[in-house]
Structure formats: structure tokens, C-alpha cells
């Protein structure tokens, strides 16, 4: 079975899984997909919704599918203060369910949907001037990954010995200025 068929089948199952599934929000549909793949739920975020809407409107206004339609993603995502973020864009389908299926079928978009420990999502669509083409943007984000041992202040050594680099041309260690460092002093 191809990735495309699998994604379409998953999206189809999302639609048939519960009688009220059509009423599920895009965030709930994404969360269901993420939970089945070992990731946590995402909740709608007003800042990310705004960023997604501005992107969808810019693509629709230019009638162009592009991550750069409104400028760089890094600049556009800055107001969300996210540690990690990703964006999926699409055009063509009127419903979010079909768009989600398209993203699930694409390895890069699927990877974005499964962004590790993402907690927030923004989703929006906009139509082009003719009203015939729908553009979608989804921004998913999470906080910075905690560093191992966070909360415990790492103890810095009081004395550090500099390792000497070996010179292959002379066959002996290269000379350097600092051999022993004590409290930031070179000896």
C-alpha cells in the first residue's frame, strides 16, 4: 500500500470513526492523528491562527503556493515565541479533512504534523480572488526542549587541564599558551 493510499485511508477513517467526526475541529483531527503516533495533543492557539491566516491570505492574494508568500517563516513565527515550529501549506481542497489527508500522504508534511512535543496549532484557509481555489496554512509549535538535568545547576570544574594538540609534522605535542586553567586563569 502506498503512502498516499495510507494517508487517504487514515483521513477516511477519521471521517467514519464517529458520527460527529465531521463536527470535530481541525485541532482535534490533528490531535487524533498525533495520539495514534505517540505524540501529545495540540490545542488551537490564537497567535498561531493569526499567523496561519495571514499566510493563507497572502498565498490566496498572490494565487501562489509558497512558504515565502508573506516573508520568511522564521520572521513570521517570532511572535509565537515557540522553541520549535513547522508549517504546512496546501491548495485545492475545500475541506480540512481532505487537506489533512494530503499532508498525511506527504512525508515532509507528515513529519511536521508529528512535530515532537508540539502543543499548539493554528489553522486557516483563504480563497483566491476568483473564489475557486482554497489555500490552507497550518502552523504547529512547541516550547523549547528542556536540556537534560534542567533545574540542576551544572557544576563547573575549578581546575581544567588543557589537552595538547598533537603535531604530525614534528611528532610531538603542539605548544600552546595555557596548560592548566585555574579559576579562569591560564598557568
Amino acid at each position: 500500500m502506498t503512502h498516499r493510499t495510507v494517508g487517504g485511508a487514515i483521513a477516511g477513517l477519521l471521517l467514519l470513526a464517529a458520527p460527529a467526526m465531521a463536527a470535530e475541529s481541525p485541532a482535534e483531527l490533528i490531535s487524533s492523528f498525533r495520539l495514534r503516533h505517540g505524540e501529545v495533543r495540540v490545542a488551537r492557539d490564537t497567535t498561531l491562527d493569526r499567523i496561519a491566516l495571514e499566510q493563507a491570505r497572502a498565498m490566496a492574494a498572490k494565487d501562489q503556493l509558497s512558504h515565502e508568500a508573506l516573508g520568511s517563516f522564521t520572521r513570521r513565527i517570532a511572535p509565537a515565541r515557540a522553541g520549535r515550529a513547522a508549517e504546512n501549506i496546501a491548495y485545492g481542497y475545500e475541506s480540512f479533512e481532505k487537506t489533512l489527508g494530503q499532508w498525511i500522504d506527504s512525508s515532509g508534511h507528515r513529519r511536521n504534523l508529528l512535530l515532537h512535543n508540539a502543543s499548539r496549532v493554528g489553522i486557516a484557509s483563504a480563497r483566491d480572488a476568483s473564489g475557486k481555489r482554497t489555500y490552507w496554512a497550518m502552523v504547529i509549535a512547541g516550547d523549547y526542549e528542556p536540556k537534560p538535568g534542567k533545574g540542576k545547576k551544572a557544576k563547573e570544574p575549578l581546575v581544567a587541564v588543557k589537552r595538547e594538540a598533537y603535531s604530525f609534522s614534528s611528532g610531538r605535542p603542539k605548544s600552546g599558551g595555557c596548560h592548566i586553567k585555574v579559576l579562569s586563569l591560564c598557568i
Side-chain angles (χ1 to χ4, degrees), residues 32-151:
S32 295
F33 176 72
R34 289 175 54 80
L35 289 169
R36 282 194 312 281
H37 291 86
E39 290 297 338
V40 299
R41 290 187 173 283
V42 290
R44 276 311 262 275
D45 180 270
T46 55
T47 301
L48 296 181
D49 275 342
R50 181 186 50 75
I51 292 167
L53 181 59
E54 290 170 354
Q55 175 66 12
R57 285 179 175 167
M59 292 187 301
K62 294 179 180 183
D63 201 13
Q64 177 186 26
L65 185 68
S66 169
H67 287 283
E68 303 295 320
L70 196 57
S72 77
F73 180 66
T74 303
R75 182 188 58 75
R76 291 185 291 111
I77 195 67
R81 298 176 188 243
R84 299 172 327 288
E87 175 179 67
N88 283 354
I89 57 174
Y91 75 88
Y93 291 120
E94 289 185 30
S95 75
F96 180 75
E97 291 84 359
K98 287 184 179 181
T99 302
L100 178 60
Q102 182 182 22
W103 287 335
I104 289 170
D105 287 343
S106 162
S107 63
H109 293 98
R110 182 183 181 95
R111 186 171 39 253
N112 288 348
L113 288 166
L114 296 173
L115 181 68
H116 184 61
N117 284 337
S119 58
R120 303 175 285 151
V121 69
I123 303 130
S125 65
R127 290 190 176 270
D128 69 351
S130 72
K132 294 181 181 176
R133 183 176 283 175
T134 303
Y135 286 86
W136 288 92
M138 179 213 68
V139 181
I140 189 166
D143 295 325
Y144 291 98
E145 285 287 319
K147 293 184 180 178
K150 187 175 179 180

